[in-house]
Amino acid sequence: MVNNNQQLIEKVFEALCKYRPSLDRMLIADDDYDEGPDPRMLGDQIIKSFPWPIGVEVRRLLSGSCRNIDRLRLDQLFKTAERCMQFTGFVLLSQIFDLAQTGALKVSQGFKGQFDQRMGALSLGNMVGLIRQSIQELRNASIEPFVQELADVLDKDMLAAMEAWVPLRNAISHYQVNMPPVEIEKKCIESEELLVKLLCGLSCLANYKLISIRQIQVIKLRHSDPKYLHVIDLLNNSDSDFRGRSIEENIHTDSNAVILTKNLKDLRNYLNLSPLVIDTHGEVIDTRDKFNLRKDVFLYSKFRGDHIMYVGTESTETCDLRSLSSYPDLLEEFKRMHEILT
């Protein structure tokens, strides 16, 4: 399956070069690879170019354990696609929430019904439906998506390709234990074709950076305007060792938030993805009830009663985060989102 990985890498890397022309220099042939550049280096750049929730799934897909045509690779193809669509949906929903909160967008009754029906438990079909409804909501209001490129990326063909994953997933789920080898081969080919289309379309995310705001410190000198020191982690990497850094700005973002920004040197233009995307790396384990907390980037999964459930990126099982220090704030914000969008 090495050849398949190379084909996927080459196609997605070529799409990335459209948004990051500086990557073109990596296409120079490597002496150790007669047929072109080192695919491992290209793959590493692909992983770094995507926000961590997507990048980590691509990393798993390109690992040695997923090179064979087997059920493991098939499942990882699906997981990568699912995470791509989940992240895209959360970007759109976060923008609509902000716009509706400020009155800049009057959400339609059709959208409210879809949100109420689908958001309780995010199956793949529900997520695809929310993406379709969200981009249409922005188009109807003549509002540009925060990720501007999505206005063109999420066309009829891409939305149809996303919807094609739903019956494919149903077919895969039909064989919970044993899938005939010939079916695995067919589904791997179908899934990889769809995933390449999805990753190439979402390569526009290379224009943006995913950031975790760990802390904001106010710096105020006498007779001067305040400045705000943002202690952040950059959630674009090829592994989960997110190196902290500090950015000083004349404005402040939102505390304890995961944000998407167009420019690390100017945080005035950003989109807050929390409570749909959160980061627990900055949590201090200072009480016994936090012993089971995992330090990870988490994505919203479902809402039951007063309980928001998340799924991790490193630890992919559903986790109970109610002992998190910021959980009451996350719960309040999610309830406000639900109230405004339903």
Side-chain angles (χ1 to χ4, degrees):
M1 204 64 181
V2 174
N3 289 337
N4 273 2
N5 266 349
Q6 288 180 338
Q7 291 172 19
L8 182 150
I9 288 170
E10 289 169 2
K11 290 178 181 178
V12 177
F13 190 85
E14 182 180 355
L16 280 173
C17 287
K18 174 183 176 183
Y19 300 102
R20 296 181 60 192
S22 61
L23 293 178
D24 280 336
R25 67 179 185 275
M26 297 187 65
L27 294 175
I28 300 172
D30 190 306
D31 292 340
D32 294 331
Y33 290 86
D34 296 334
E35 297 179 358
D38 186 342
R40 294 170 300 182
M41 294 179 63
L42 302 187
D44 190 59
Q45 286 300 319
I46 291 172
I47 295 167
K48 291 178 180 178
S49 295
F50 282 104
W52 173 252
I54 296 175
V56 66
E57 298 297 348
V58 175
R59 186 188 70 181
R60 292 181 177 121
L61 180 63
L62 300 183
S63 68
S65 61
C66 286
R67 288 178 181 169
N68 297 321
I69 305 177
D70 56 17
R71 182 59 186 262
L72 184 62
R73 180 172 178 83
L74 180 58
D75 287 343
Q76 187 55 39
L77 285 164
F78 173 78
K79 289 175 184 176
T80 307
E82 183 179 43
R83 194 53 54 85
C84 286
M85 289 181 273
Q86 191 178 23
F87 187 83
T88 303
F90 289 167
V91 168
L92 293 170
L93 287 173
S94 295
Q95 182 181 5
I96 289 177
F97 174 41
D98 285 348
L99 293 169
Q101 170 83 8
T102 61
L105 173 67
K106 186 177 180 180
V107 181
S108 70
Q109 290 301 316
F111 178 89
K112 289 182 177 182
Q114 289 289 316
F115 185 88
D116 190 36
Q117 177 184 350
R118 298 178 184 273
M119 199 62 181
L122 274 183
S123 65
L124 180 62
N126 284 344
M127 192 72 260
V128 175
L130 283 170
I131 291 173
R132 177 180 287 277
Q133 191 73 27
S134 296
I135 195 65
Q136 190 60 49
E137 200 77 6
L138 294 175
R139 285 174 179 151
N140 290 343
S142 299
I143 295 175
E144 188 176 70
F146 178 82
V147 177
Q148 299 170 351
E149 298 83 356
L150 290 181
D152 295 323
V153 169
L154 294 176
D155 58 13
K156 291 182 179 180
D157 288 342
M158 180 60 78
L159 290 171
M162 288 182 171
E163 289 174 344
W165 282 98
V166 179
L168 183 59
R169 176 54 173 167
N170 292 339
I172 295 173
S173 298
H174 179 70
Y175 297 95
Q176 287 294 332
V177 181
N178 297 317
M179 179 181 286
V182 66
E183 284 298 319
I184 291 177
E185 293 175 5
K186 290 179 181 178
K187 299 304 179 189
C188 275
I189 292 173
E190 292 178 50
S191 300
E192 187 161 324
E193 290 174 350
L194 287 171
L195 181 60
V196 168
K197 182 178 180 66
L198 188 56
L199 288 173
C200 286
L202 294 180
S203 61
C204 61
L205 291 171
N207 280 342
Y208 304 79
K209 295 299 182 184
L210 191 67
I211 297 174
S212 175
I213 306 295
R214 285 202 179 194
Q215 187 180 12
I216 303 176
Q217 300 174 2
V218 180
I219 302 172
K220 175 66 172 72
L221 301 179
R222 191 173 187 175
H223 303 149
S224 66
D225 294 331
K227 293 184 179 297
Y228 302 91
L229 184 68
H230 294 72
V231 182
I232 72 165
D233 283 338
L234 179 60
L235 305 183
N236 288 73
N237 211 334
S238 56
D239 59 50
S240 58
D241 181 21
F242 306 120
R243 295 183 180 89
R245 65 173 73 179
S246 299
I247 300 178
E248 188 175 294
E249 287 279 0
N250 294 326
I251 56 90
H252 58 80
T253 62
D254 297 329
S255 299
N256 298 320
V258 173
I259 68 172
L260 195 65
T261 182
K262 299 181 181 183
N263 189 346
L264 274 178
K265 297 179 180 178
D266 184 359
L267 296 182
R268 285 175 293 185
N269 191 6
Y270 69 92
L271 180 67
N272 187 344
L273 302 184
S274 298
L276 301 180
V277 183
I278 65 172
D279 176 28
T280 63
H281 285 94
E283 183 73 11
V284 177
I285 308 300
D286 52 4
T287 59
R288 284 186 171 273
D289 62 345
K290 294 182 181 180
F291 282 0
N292 292 325
L293 274 180
R294 293 181 181 270
K295 301 210 172 186
D296 199 356
V297 178
F298 290 90
L299 288 85
Y300 169 84
S301 174
K302 61 182 70 173
F303 184 66
R304 289 288 184 271
D306 273 354
H307 185 191
I308 312 176
M309 300 179 205
Y310 291 91
V311 62
T313 52
E314 283 286 320
S315 55
T316 54
E317 69 271 15
T318 301
C319 299
D320 188 344
L321 299 180
R322 282 176 288 186
S323 60
L324 195 66
S325 299
S326 60
Y327 182 82
D329 296 330
L330 295 171
L331 180 60
E332 180 182 349
E333 193 167 354
F334 183 83
K335 285 183 176 179
R336 188 165 67 252
M337 174 185 285
H338 191 272
E339 180 182 352
I340 289 174
L341 298 184
T342 59

